[in-house]
Amino acid sequence: VARAYIDQLERSGALPPNQMAALSNALDEAASALDRGRRAADVARRLETLAGELSAAGLGANDADRVASLSRMLKDIAARLA
C-alpha cells in the first residue's frame, strides 16, 4: 500500500523527485529485510527520518491525506524492522 501512495504522489508531483527516490529506495531495503525475516535498525531509522520529513503543507486535500497515511505506514514498517 505504501508503494501505491508513492506512485500516486509521484504522478501528482506532490513531492520532489529526490524525496520520492529516497522513499522508494528505503522501501526496497525494508522489503528485502522483511522478506528475509531480519531486523534492520539502520533501515528502520531511515524510514522514521523519512516519515518525519514528509510534509503535507501546501498540498491539496487528496495529496495531504496520502502523505499523512504514507508517514504512518513508514513508521509502522520501521517498528517491524527495529
Side-chain angles (χ1 to χ4, degrees):
V1 175
R3 291 221 185 264
Y5 282 124
I6 289 173
D7 289 343
Q8 292 167 350
L9 291 166
E10 185 173 30
R11 281 195 305 268
S12 72
L15 300 174
N18 62 330
Q19 190 173 25
M20 300 302 296
L23 288 164
S24 184
N25 290 338
L27 281 177
D28 287 345
E29 290 183 40
S32 177
L34 290 170
D35 287 345
R36 292 189 318 262
R38 292 186 51 231
R39 299 219 180 260
D42 58 326
V43 178
R45 282 190 299 275
R46 189 164 10 159
L47 288 171
E48 286 282 349
T49 298
L50 289 167
E53 291 173 352
L54 288 173
S55 172
L59 299 178
N62 285 340
D63 286 337
D65 288 344
R66 288 181 185 122
V67 165
S69 294
L70 178 58
S71 179
R72 284 190 303 275
M73 285 180 200
L74 294 176
K75 291 175 184 177
D76 289 345
I77 295 167
R80 292 170 47 200
L81 290 169

